Amino acid sequence: MTAPHISLTFTSRGRPDDLAEALWGLWGLAEEPTRLEAIIAVDPDDEATQQVGERLPDGARLWVAPERYGYNGLHHYLNQITRPSMVRGRWLMWFNDDMRMRTPGWDTVIRNSPQGVLWPRANHVPHANVCPIWPRAWTDATGYVSANMHLDTWLQ
């Protein structure tokens, strides 16, 4: 199997249909969908989201957290699913189950970008990087993504 270029990272709770739609949208607009992977952190008590695993694109998988960290502990999920043993892509991307990709070939844009925090355009929050993309090497070097729940502004 070819190593992915981009590792998409998610948390999801209680919205399995939205999660599946977001992932299929990402895969559908990618130029090289076989070079994507997604790791979705799910709470141990969220059985509905855990069951969506069978409806996800190839390369997407669920990780059940050892406990529910909640919104205030968002960084705990992300720091776990971006460990070197969990992700293989050269780029890491934070995404949410309520987001939708609208750019055809978005994966090629990322792949051809210089190393740095990429700032995708979000139509509803232009002043914040709500969907940051960053080089995996940075996370590998520091051992974590964020020290607090505001991972988007932490990376900014």
Side-chain angles (χ1 to χ4, degrees):
M1 183 169 154
T2 307
H5 290 297
I6 301 165
S7 297
L8 298 145
T9 60
F10 285 75
T11 58
S12 187
R13 180 170 177 83
R15 298 189 291 208
D17 293 336
D18 289 340
L19 174 62
E21 184 179 327
L23 285 163
W24 281 107
L26 287 158
W27 260 248
L29 289 172
E31 286 185 13
E32 292 188 73
T34 60
R35 302 298 300 268
L36 303 176
E37 73 175 348
I39 301 90
I40 302 101
V42 181
D43 287 324
D45 64 340
D46 186 0
E47 293 178 19
T49 305
Q50 290 177 34
Q51 292 175 3
V52 79
E54 300 167 6
R55 295 188 296 149
L56 300 180
D58 288 341
R61 65 187 186 282
L62 302 176
W63 173 77
V64 179
E67 64 183 86
R68 182 174 178 200
Y69 300 121
Y71 183 75
N72 289 336
L74 202 56
H75 57 296
H76 295 301
Y77 298 105
L78 185 61
N79 289 335
Q80 290 291 321
I81 63 176
T82 57
R83 294 178 309 202
S85 62
M86 296 286 286
V87 293
R88 299 175 305 132
R90 292 181 322 131
W91 288 96
L92 301 178
M93 179 175 173
W94 174 253
F95 211 74
N96 288 318
D97 58 17
D98 61 351
M99 293 179 177
R100 297 298 176 266
M101 179 59 70
R102 296 173 55 186
T103 305
W106 63 270
D107 56 323
T108 300
V109 174
I110 293 170
R111 199 172 48 254
N112 293 335
S113 294
Q115 296 243 332
V117 176
L118 305 183
W119 192 306
R121 187 176 147 262
N123 59 339
H124 66 291
V125 190
H127 64 279
N129 190 351
V130 297
C131 181
I133 304 159
W134 66 99
R136 174 186 158 188
W138 294 7
T139 299
D140 289 351
T142 61
Y144 67 99
V145 175
S146 180
N148 64 54
M149 66 189 231
H150 302 291
L151 57 105
D152 47 0
T153 52
W154 179 270
L155 286 169
Q156 275 174 222

